Amino acid sequence: MEAHGPAPTRRTLLRSGAGLGAAALGLAATTATAHAGDRRPRRAAAYPPTHWIPASTSNYRVSSRPTAYPIEVVVIHVTQETFQDAVKIFQDPARQVSTHYMVASADGYIGQFVREKDVAWHAGNKDYNNRSIGIEHEGWVDDPAWFTDEMYASSAALTAAVCDRFAIPKDRDHIIAHSEVPGSDHTDPGPLWDWDRYMELVNQG
């Protein structure tokens, strides 16, 4: 896996990304919205701090979502790689693969590789790629030690913010495993991913 240019270490990214949040990427929470039957305004979940680590432009398609395609699904992945090795893959123009976000195991650090308006190539299904946000998680499907409290909390906060931004229902019909994408031959995030815990965290916002 030859990198497309030098890949920074996670420590370097954390240092350079200190203080950078989603607002710097134009991903601040949307304004408060009122729900039918509830006069109290509810603020959309805020995006957790995120650092921009661009994927190779050969590994995704520029678009104008949600104008070009509605964003209706969040797809949950596990990398089967370390964070640093996955960065190299997303920045290698020969790999033809990318994701919108990736969450680190140890501390829940989030890298963003593709803008939400653009189509990342993560699902292995063109229709689902067009209509989804892909979130990768550092680790291996057969080793739950990678699925830390920090990872679950950070990822759930991100998914909640994405769902609020695009009015995606926070349920298992719309927050799905990579293995649940039609035609997928992948198994991630696998049977050791705690869906009950994750969805509870997502719905807590």
Side-chain angles (χ1 to χ4, degrees):
M1 294 177 289
E2 187 174 339
H4 180 62
T9 66
R10 180 141 52 99
R11 178 173 293 180
T12 300
L13 292 173
L14 285 168
R15 286 176 177 170
S16 64
L20 285 178
L25 300 175
L27 299 179
T30 57
T31 56
T33 56
H35 291 257
D38 184 356
R39 294 183 180 181
R40 296 172 300 172
R42 291 181 57 189
R43 182 170 293 279
Y47 278 75
T50 306
H51 189 76
W52 176 241
I53 313 170
S56 168
T57 56
S58 297
N59 293 344
Y60 65 91
R61 188 170 79 253
V62 174
S63 185
S64 57
R65 302 187 313 165
T67 302
Y69 307 99
I71 297 176
E72 303 171 322
V73 179
V74 176
V75 181
I76 301 299
H77 301 261
V78 170
T79 58
Q80 300 294 100
E81 301 283 352
T82 65
F83 192 100
Q84 291 177 349
D85 284 347
V87 169
K88 292 177 183 178
I89 291 171
F90 300 145
Q91 293 184 333
D92 180 349
R95 297 304 292 263
Q96 299 290 284
V97 66
S98 61
T99 191
H100 292 95
Y101 297 99
M102 180 166 55
V103 185
S105 172
D107 48 19
Y109 172 84
I110 303 172
Q112 182 177 7
F113 299 84
V114 176
R115 303 290 186 192
E116 290 179 348
K117 75 177 187 65
D118 296 328
V119 177
W121 298 338
H122 62 96
N125 177 310
K126 183 176 180 180
D127 178 54
Y128 273 71
N129 282 341
N130 287 341
R131 300 185 295 108
S132 68
I133 297 292
I135 303 178
E136 289 277 1
H137 298 81
E138 180 185 23
W140 279 262
V141 297
D142 58 355
D143 186 356
W146 288 89
F147 305 152
T148 62
D149 293 344
E150 293 81 3
M151 171 180 279
Y152 276 119
S154 184
S155 176
L158 174 61
T159 293
V162 169
C163 287
D164 284 350
R165 186 177 192 199
F166 297 105
I168 302 170
K170 296 174 185 175
D171 59 37
R172 285 286 283 114
D173 289 331
H174 297 86
I175 302 170
I176 67 171
H178 188 189
S179 60
E180 295 169 335
V181 173
S184 174
D185 59 358
H186 288 247
T187 63
D188 57 310
L192 301 179
W193 180 263
D194 191 340
W195 277 107
D196 290 341
R197 176 185 183 187
Y198 188 69
M199 294 304 299
E200 182 177 358
L201 288 169
V202 170
N203 280 282
Q204 288 173 356

